[in-house]
Structure formats: structure tokens, C-alpha cells
Amino acid sequence: MRALVQRIAQAEVAIGEDVIGKSGPGLLILVCAMQGDDAAIATSLAAKIAKLRVFKDEGGKMNRALLDTGGSALVVSQFTLAADTRRGNRPGFSAAATPTEGEALYIAFADALQAQGIGVETGSFGADMQVSLVNDGPVTIWLDTDAT
């Protein structure tokens, strides 16, 4: 799985005029299931992100995790994280999981993050959404389970 994690003051996701999920302060997590991923990978990634020390401690150092801060997470599916741009100018997305597998793993990831004790709101899988955020820091971290 791939995830782009952003520390946020606030974020929201909307479909048209309807806000369907929001968070803040905490994390905006854009997530993509890749071919070959399974529920164990989704659970492992959720645990890693819950413990990712990207929040400042009393000394101003990034030593605190979402679990430590009591913050929440907005989880949004984004298959375009699977983009392959090695050939030509049009990205290819064949490395992404199928929509059926991707949705199941997206839900498994959000559920696993919530099971860690984190408040989670989500976007709508496969929908055309508008995501807005106030990035805090800015702090943006790229995670790829194939690279760890």
C-alpha cells in the first residue's frame, strides 16, 4: 500500500457541496492499495501511521504520534498514488489494486486505524471528491509498504 500522510490543522472532503468527512488537528491520509496487498498490509500500515512521530513535543521536536496527541484522521482513497510515469507523459495505473480489492483494503485500513483508538472519517471510495486542507508545518510523509 502507499500512503501520503499530511499533518494538518484541519481538512475536509466534499462531493459537490456536501462535506462527507473532516478532521483536525491530526492527519490527512491519502491511501492507495496496490496489486498483491492484503488486509495484513493494511493493518500494518495503519499501525505504523498511528505511531508515526510527526507532532511536536514540549521542546518543539517531532516526537509525538497521533496516538499521543488525541488527534483525528481523514482517510481518502487515491488510486493515483499508483501512478507510473516512467514512459511517456500519461501516467499508468496498472499497479493499483482492482477497484473491488482496493475498496476492501481502503476500508480495512480505515478500520485498523480506528481500532488503534484514533477518530477516523473517510471520503467515498471511487467518487470524484474535493479535498481541502490546512497543512501544518508543512509536514508531508510518503509511505510505501514495498519500500519498508
Side-chain angles (χ1 to χ4, degrees), residues 122-144:
T122 63
S124 180
F125 185 87
D128 185 12
M129 299 172 280
Q130 296 78 47
V131 180
S132 61
L133 72 141
V134 176
N135 196 321
D136 180 21
V139 173
T140 303
I141 308 290
W142 169 260
L143 298 166
D144 187 337

Side-chain angles (χ1 to χ4, degrees), residues 8 23 33 46 49 54 85 95 98 109:
I8 55 166
S23 177
I49 291 172
V54 295
T85 59
T98 66
F109 172 82

Side-chain angles (χ1 to χ4, degrees), residues 5-8 23-29 46-56 63-75 113-114 116-120:
V5 179
Q6 295 179 292
R7 189 176 75 189
I8 55 166
S23 177
L27 297 175
L28 170 63
I29 306 166
K48 173 110 178 159
I49 291 172
K51 296 173 189 156
L52 194 63
R53 298 185 317 177
V54 295
F55 295 91
K56 293 179 182 176
N63 265 334
R64 300 183 75 212
L66 191 57
L67 284 172
D68 302 325
T69 67
S72 58
L74 177 58
V75 179
L113 195 59
Q114 193 164 31
Q116 294 280 327
I118 295 169
V120 174

